[in-house]
Amino acid sequence: MLSIGTIVMGAADVRRAADFWGAALDYVPRDPEGGGPANGPRDWTVLVPAHGPGPGLALGLSTSPVQRHPRVHLDLYAADAAEQRAEIDRLVALGARRVDWDSYPEDPDFVVLADPDTPDYQF
């Protein structure tokens, strides 16, 4: 049986992306001694959960433009609506932006945020 080992995402600024996703998910560089984001610019890094098992998040340098409607995204879950509001505030404080997404349903139970690497345009 297969399992997800690592999710791979492109980033224009790997260090900034690693700082954001590390703080957002409580992840740390898998190999900090090997020249991770804290030690200077890199073309890639792999983040892993700071505590316990879970999929890794690999961030690789990408020069391709960000898609207006990405084919892949992360669904992040909170326990309830109050925790969701608190997490949105925390992620925005880390550099995420709320997105006025053109495909919201009538009464969404989710919020779309763009990470700091996403260009500032409307979806």
Side-chain angles (χ1 to χ4, degrees):
M1 183 59 135
L2 295 175
S3 63
I4 294 175
T6 304
I7 299 160
V8 181
M9 294 175 28
D13 184 331
V14 173
R15 184 177 190 165
R16 179 180 64 188
D19 289 345
F20 173 79
W21 287 110
L25 300 174
D26 194 22
Y27 272 37
V28 296
R30 180 178 65 190
D31 185 17
E33 293 82 28
N39 299 325
R42 288 202 49 155
D43 289 345
W44 61 271
T45 192
V46 178
L47 303 175
V48 294
H51 310 284
L57 180 61
L59 302 164
L61 183 63
S62 175
T63 58
S64 61
V66 176
Q67 295 175 336
R68 204 164 165 81
H69 290 276
R71 292 181 63 179
V72 177
H73 63 272
L74 301 179
D75 280 356
L76 306 175
Y77 288 84
D80 55 36
E83 184 178 315
Q84 182 188 49
R85 285 188 298 276
E87 286 298 321
I88 290 166
D89 291 344
R90 185 177 74 83
L91 293 173
V92 167
L94 290 172
R97 291 183 326 281
R98 288 187 81 116
V99 172
D100 185 18
W101 191 45
D102 60 7
S103 297
Y104 271 123
E106 282 290 318
D107 187 22
D109 62 350
F110 61 91
V111 174
V112 176
L113 298 176
D115 70 10
D117 207 50
T118 304
D120 193 16
Y121 55 65
Q122 297 299 312
F123 287 74

